[in-house]
Amino acid sequence: MQQQTPPEQFDLAGMVADLNSLLRLKTTVTGIKMFARTADMEAIPKIRRPGAVHTTDQIVSMASRLGWTVGITADDLVGAQCRAVIGLAPQDEKWLSGENYVGVWHGTLEDARKRQEALDVVPYGQYQAMAVSPLTSGRLNPPDICLVYATPGQMIILINGLQYVGYKKFEWGVVGETACADSWGRALKTGEPSLSLPCFAERRYGGVPDEEMLMALPPSYLAKAIEGMKQLARNGLRYPIAPYGIQADVRAGMGVSYPKK
């Protein structure tokens, strides 16, 4: 029988220290890990299990806002929408119809169905449970994905870090409500960095403040972004971005970044 290679481990605490130094984040960087067996989730040290029914947004924010390590199954989540995005409920015809959203988020059944079909979700049947935890706890090492909440100014520096070596143009979408499908749904499904504008539910139930965006990405990509941001900082391109002045002669400022121009 061929032995499986153990998953790569990361210096998660070191990565978070670097992130906070580079971006001055105010929100706890969090990891998500999916489990094929509930028992494996429940075996995580100091795991908390909810005593009430929640949205996935609330569960994630228990880690990112309160610093808790929390594990859930489908029974802990409200309705099929939260469950289906992370693959804990089937994306069946009833779910795809979007009938519950007509007259709420959409004007017609056709519009509601189009939104449901546009969501990036984890295929059903792979997992029984999910856990969230601050990266610094080391309890999910490695996590499947990391969640970074940041302001637009912080986020563009993070993206610049991802693009420093091995450049690619990132193209992301906005599904509207259920924007968690743009972030953790897409990142879990594709293994790619995934940016979102947190939606009404994430802000109302998950407590995400107005100014924050969300990047979900595997830990290997987060490590890549950190290395890129360190080099950008050496080049004088760092956060916070100091305003230069809208009426100042731009040549002195540009000359610092582009001395050969």
Side-chain angles (χ1 to χ4, degrees):
M1 179 188 244
Q2 185 176 3
Q3 285 189 326
Q4 288 188 336
T5 303
E8 180 183 2
Q9 302 281 293
F10 294 87
D11 177 10
L12 298 176
M15 290 167 65
V16 172
D18 284 339
L19 272 176
N20 288 331
S21 174
L22 290 160
L23 294 178
R24 305 189 186 186
L25 298 173
K26 71 175 185 178
T27 302
T28 301
V29 184
T30 301
I32 289 181
K33 194 174 185 70
M34 303 301 300
F35 292 87
R37 301 191 317 146
T38 301
D40 294 333
M41 173 271 286
E42 293 176 334
I44 296 170
K46 298 184 179 180
I47 191 86
R48 296 175 185 240
R49 297 285 280 112
V53 173
H54 297 289
T55 66
T56 317
D57 314 315
Q58 291 176 296
I59 299 299
V60 167
S61 288
M62 289 176 192
S64 65
R65 314 288 157 182
L66 304 178
W68 295 356
T69 299
V70 184
I72 56 97
T73 65
D75 291 340
D76 300 307
L77 297 176
V78 61
Q81 194 77 344
C82 282
R83 299 168 187 162
V85 170
I86 56 175
L88 298 185
Q91 298 97 19
D92 55 16
E93 181 57 33
K94 181 179 180 181
W95 181 81
L96 282 170
S97 75
E99 60 187 9
N100 291 339
Y101 302 103
V102 179
V104 183
W105 289 109
H106 304 290
T108 70
L109 188 60
E110 180 184 6
D111 292 322
R113 185 180 185 92
K114 285 180 178 178
R115 193 277 301 267
Q116 292 296 89
E117 291 174 344
L119 302 179
D120 282 306
V121 300
V122 178
Y124 177 61
Q126 299 180 27
Y127 303 112
Q128 292 183 350
M130 180 191 83
V132 296
S133 182
L135 286 193
T136 53
S137 75
R139 294 178 188 138
L140 307 177
N141 195 355
D144 294 327
I145 58 171
C146 309
L147 303 182
V148 180
Y149 288 91
T151 66
Q154 293 165 330
M155 196 63 79
I156 190 58
I157 297 296
L158 176 64
I159 292 168
N160 293 151
L162 281 167
Q163 294 173 320
Y164 190 76
V165 173
Y167 176 86
K168 66 174 290 185
K169 178 182 179 181
F170 290 113
E171 299 191 59
W172 295 302
V174 179
V175 296
E177 187 56 20
T178 316
C180 59
D182 292 334
S183 54
W184 58 72
R186 183 178 182 275
L188 286 168
K189 176 185 175 182
T190 67
E192 295 287 327
S194 300
L195 182 70
S196 77
L197 295 171
C199 62
F200 182 94
E202 288 175 86
R203 298 185 190 278
R204 177 170 171 80
Y205 300 107
V208 179
D210 280 355
E211 67 272 14
E212 285 191 346
M213 305 173 75
L214 171 58
M215 175 76 82
L217 69 176
S220 58
Y221 276 100
L222 186 57
K224 180 179 187 290
I226 290 168
E227 289 307 308
M229 286 189 289
K230 286 180 177 179
Q231 185 57 56
L232 289 169
R234 295 185 194 105
N235 298 343
L237 306 169
R238 61 178 69 92
Y239 186 85
I241 303 169
Y244 188 73
I246 61 174
Q247 291 180 292
D249 187 323
V250 75
R251 289 172 292 184
M254 295 289 284
V256 174
S257 296
Y258 307 102
K260 297 179 182 179
K261 298 295 183 184

